[in-house]
Amino acid sequence: MKRILILLLTILIIGCTTETPKEYSLLKYAPQNAAVILQIQDFESFQSELKNNQLLKSFKQPKFKQDFNAFVTYVKYIQPNSKSLLCFNELGKNSFEYTFVTKTHPNLIQLDSLHKATTENIAYEGNEIIKTTLGDHVNYTFLADSIFVNSSSQLLIENCIRSYKKVIIPEPLKKVYATIDESKSATLLATPKHLSPLLKKIFPNADTKFVTTFGEQMALDVSILQDEISFTGIITANDSLSHSLSSLKNTTPREHKIAKVIPRFFDHFTSITFDEYKKFHPETKNSLLDALEEVCSFSFNNGTFTALRFISPSNEAITQLTTNTEHNTVRNVKVYENEDPELFKNHFTPFISDFGNDFYIVLDEYIVFSDRDNLRNLAMLIGLYKDEQTLSSQKSYQEALQNLSDESSLVSFVNTDSFKKTFAESTKKTYQKEILSINVDDYPFAALQFTNEKGSNYAHVHGILKRNTAKPTENTVTQFLNVVLDNPAITNPQFVKNHITKRREIVVQDAQNILYLISTKGKVLWKKQLDGKILGDLSQIDLYKNGRLQLAVTTPQSFYVFDRKGTEVKPYPTKATLAYTQPVAIFDYDNSKNYRFVFTEGNKVVMRDKKGKEVTGFKFSGSENEFINPPQHFRVKTKDYIVLQESNGKLHILSRTGKSRITAKENIQFSDNQVYIHNNLFTTSDRNGNLIQVDSKGQIQKTKLPVEENHDVTMTSKTLVSFFENKLRIKDKTVELDFGSYSKPKIFYIKNKIYVSITDKDAQKVYVYDSNAKLLPGFPAFGTSEIDLENLDKDAKLEFVTKGENKTILVYKLN
């Protein structure tokens, strides 16, 4: 919060007020010790810029803007034709008053006929103060030497009368005032020690004390374009007052490269650079930091991390730290336990104080530290770095950098979307809802940069909030989510629908049989302990026919149904008599949501209704042999068929009542593959690599496939996919893959397109092909399991989920 509060405040003030440059005479009338002075070059032009900025236009008269306008209500009736000042001063604890200064002219005040003002003259030390009452608001005006001074405080006007003829402009203010760019619409002048109380007023729930010692005086030229709010200027520091920026005085700025290890879904980061560490902290003697060029604090997933970047991977610090105790290994990267917590303590003040350093990793020339609570996130970071899925690879970040200097002393970035909640919580409760509703999708980053002038007591400042026009690189696959579970995943992650948002979420089970529901923001929504490993995939049902979906889950012992919040739906769970040997099959014959649950225990089959009661009209009770796959339901034209595969090769094709509807003319030496409807025939394969098709009369047709025993087949009504050894065949086209251990191929039919996926579990590569056996651009991608492919959100791009290494779940977007 501290590192970007100045930036946020500036943007907020820009969005609500008015200011501009270079008339020394006006400053003589400005109250002393003002927290902020906004100097406005052209009042009308500046108001127009505010009205035409796309982001500000999206605000629908927010409460904070209404409150501000009510506070300075009289200002909107003032029509300056030259430069003007809008000043804010603290008078009494947490109480602020404004002062407006400009040159007077005949049409300066423009009150409309609907607003009746009453005035009263007050004599003060031989001068006249005009007290104006407008509705519930009172303000005071003083005119002298063609200068109009108006304030919400009589005391500030009285101070002005006493001092304007003998006022001396402070040297720090003169210094920054001389740098003002008069071509800009406004300039913000601020003294950090006086600014801090104003920040506290606006952000009552934030710590603003750090601002006091940041610098001495600053002048920021403001630019407001349709798609951009930015400022440039300088901030001075004073060695004797121990200002934070003074520590960078003797350093030379360097290029910031730390984004190479920061996740793209970060919250914020602050990075400082220097040519030599000893120039930054001359009193600290630590040879391990001789080759250090950059240090950064960043946060993501509610964790904070500290990263150090050295000139190269070959240096004393990395050599020494890689001899410490290894905690574990992730993606061939060692995670070390820190054996000396005091090693870098207080080495990076005042910008980074104490930081969690229980564990660390070494990624080429980078060392990243974390505390014990963020060990999982540290593992996630390794995967993102390995897959080049960090901030530096994002086009939106690369575009943002084009608006900043190549080299700087300090840079701070805020992810506006993830930080919006923190920003809202720092303000008054009455403002929080409207701040949370702001759409910042087109404004992904706010950036603040300080570039120190070596040997001087000032730094150049640049801040920007700009509409992003960069589009993700086409034909790429980018990882945007990496979730670490408590234990390794034992099921393939699967997408399920959130019936409230209409978007997708992730379900997966870990090695302790805990079932997770995870949002596509990476938040674990709930966890449920199950009594065994899930059989097959999970299903979603609508038991109450009201659009609210439940999750149906089978373990060998139980059949569970969970609602949206993870609560068990009665009368479930139900228990197996002995043990379920197949996932419960769920049939919805007429899409009426009158579900039938078909339970398989070895060679026994039982059908139950959605209340858990046995359906007595279903007469098929089982066979002498076990079933090798779950029961299946097919609708062919107007008829329903229930299909079961017996281990002895008998194929049962039943009616809804369990009576035989089609009798296959002979037994089939089933492979492990299920039955499909392909070209209007019941289709599967046998152990010898034959395609087996059964027609409506039970006649069996065999066609030799280009496979042998231990093959996989999957199909849709028109597309047949087979896999044997290293050959993936899609329709009539064959792709030769590297030899390895592969998952079963899967077919996805999305928006009239066929996609075929397969994963090399040894090489940890995910492949996705189109219906013509052409590998999609960006593949293979890293992954260790079967994938689930879906469109998670409102854009047209698909996403897929897979297992990563160890305990991780990965989600990718196809651009």
Side-chain angles (χ1 to χ4, degrees), residues 752-794:
N752 298 317
K753 287 186 178 181
I754 291 287
Y755 301 90
V756 178
S757 73
I758 192 167
T759 300
D760 183 340
K761 293 183 282 188
D762 287 340
Q764 302 180 332
K765 292 180 179 179
V766 173
Y767 298 85
V768 178
Y769 295 87
D770 65 14
S771 58
N772 293 313
K774 183 178 179 181
L775 186 67
L776 296 189
F779 287 93
F782 175 76
T784 63
S785 72
E786 287 184 7
I787 72 166
D788 197 3
L789 182 69
E790 265 281 13
N791 187 351
L792 300 188
D793 42 37
K794 295 179 181 179

Side-chain angles (χ1 to χ4, degrees), residues 706-723:
V707 299
E708 301 298 333
E709 195 173 351
N710 298 322
H711 64 274
D712 295 309
V713 294
T714 183
M715 61 198 82
T716 65
S717 60
K718 300 295 182 184
T719 300
L720 174 66
V721 174
S722 66
F723 181 70

Side-chain angles (χ1 to χ4, degrees), residues 70-114:
F71 174 52
V72 294
T73 184
Y74 192 67
V75 173
K76 67 182 178 181
Y77 302 112
I78 303 173
Q79 302 295 322
N81 61 6
S82 60
K83 297 172 188 174
S84 52
L85 307 179
L86 180 60
C87 317
F88 296 93
N89 284 71
E90 183 179 26
L91 290 185
K93 188 172 179 61
N94 206 30
S95 176
F96 285 83
E97 305 291 347
Y98 81 85
T99 303
F100 190 86
V101 183
T102 190
K103 283 188 176 181
T104 188
H105 66 88
N107 299 313
L108 181 63
I109 307 300
Q110 297 289 326
L111 283 173
D112 60 53
S113 59
L114 297 176

Side-chain angles (χ1 to χ4, degrees), residues 41 106 129 192 209 214 258 281 398-399 478 485 605 670 781:
Q41 190 80 345
I129 300 173
K209 292 180 181 178
F214 198 76
I258 210 75
H281 258 236
Q398 294 165 5
E399 183 182 78
T478 56
L485 308 180
V605 176
F670 291 119

Side-chain angles (χ1 to χ4, degrees), residues 594-783:
N594 292 317
Y595 299 104
R596 293 294 183 259
F597 300 132
V598 185
F599 297 85
T600 305
E601 296 191 45
N603 64 342
K604 304 294 183 185
V605 176
V606 176
M607 180 181 287
R608 300 185 183 277
D609 64 19
K610 63 183 183 180
K611 293 181 180 179
K613 295 181 180 179
E614 186 171 346
V615 178
T616 56
F618 183 72
K619 301 300 184 182
F620 183 82
S621 59
S623 68
E624 294 181 358
N625 303 284
E626 293 194 356
F627 297 100
I628 62 171
N629 279 310
Q632 294 172 268
H633 168 255
F634 298 106
R635 169 67 65 89
V636 180
K637 296 182 179 179
T638 59
K639 292 184 178 180
D640 291 296
Y641 299 89
I642 297 172
V643 174
L644 298 103
Q645 296 167 271
E646 227 179 292
S647 60
N648 71 340
K650 186 172 183 180
L651 179 65
H652 297 270
I653 304 177
L654 313 174
S655 68
R656 282 194 192 186
T657 61
K659 294 181 180 178
S660 179
R661 175 157 266 173
I662 297 173
T663 302
K665 298 303 182 184
E666 60 182 84
N667 282 1
I668 303 163
Q669 290 184 306
F670 291 119
S671 63
D672 291 333
N673 297 292
Q674 291 187 340
V675 174
Y676 301 88
I677 299 295
H678 181 66
N679 292 331
N680 293 318
L681 299 172
F682 296 92
T683 308
T684 186
S685 67
D686 66 16
R687 295 174 198 163
N688 298 319
N690 295 307
L691 187 72
I692 306 297
Q693 294 188 288
V694 181
D695 64 17
S696 59
K697 296 181 179 179
Q699 298 292 336
I700 293 179
Q701 188 177 331
K702 294 183 180 181
T703 306
K704 187 70 178 82
L705 293 169
V707 299
E708 301 298 333
E709 195 173 351
N710 298 322
H711 64 274
D712 295 309
V713 294
T714 183
M715 61 198 82
T716 65
S717 60
K718 300 295 182 184
T719 300
L720 174 66
V721 174
S722 66
F723 181 70
F724 174 67
E725 291 183 338
N726 68 325
K727 295 180 178 65
L728 178 67
R729 186 175 176 84
I730 301 173
K731 295 182 178 177
D732 59 349
K733 294 182 173 63
T734 300
V735 176
E736 287 199 21
L737 300 169
D738 294 334
F739 283 98
S741 173
Y742 285 86
S743 66
K744 287 180 176 289
K746 290 180 69 174
I747 297 177
F748 299 93
Y749 185 62
I750 303 173
K751 293 186 177 179
N752 298 317
K753 287 186 178 181
I754 291 287
Y755 301 90
V756 178
S757 73
I758 192 167
T759 300
D760 183 340
K761 293 183 282 188
D762 287 340
Q764 302 180 332
K765 292 180 179 179
V766 173
Y767 298 85
V768 178
Y769 295 87
D770 65 14
S771 58
N772 293 313
K774 183 178 179 181
L775 186 67
L776 296 189
F779 287 93
F782 175 76

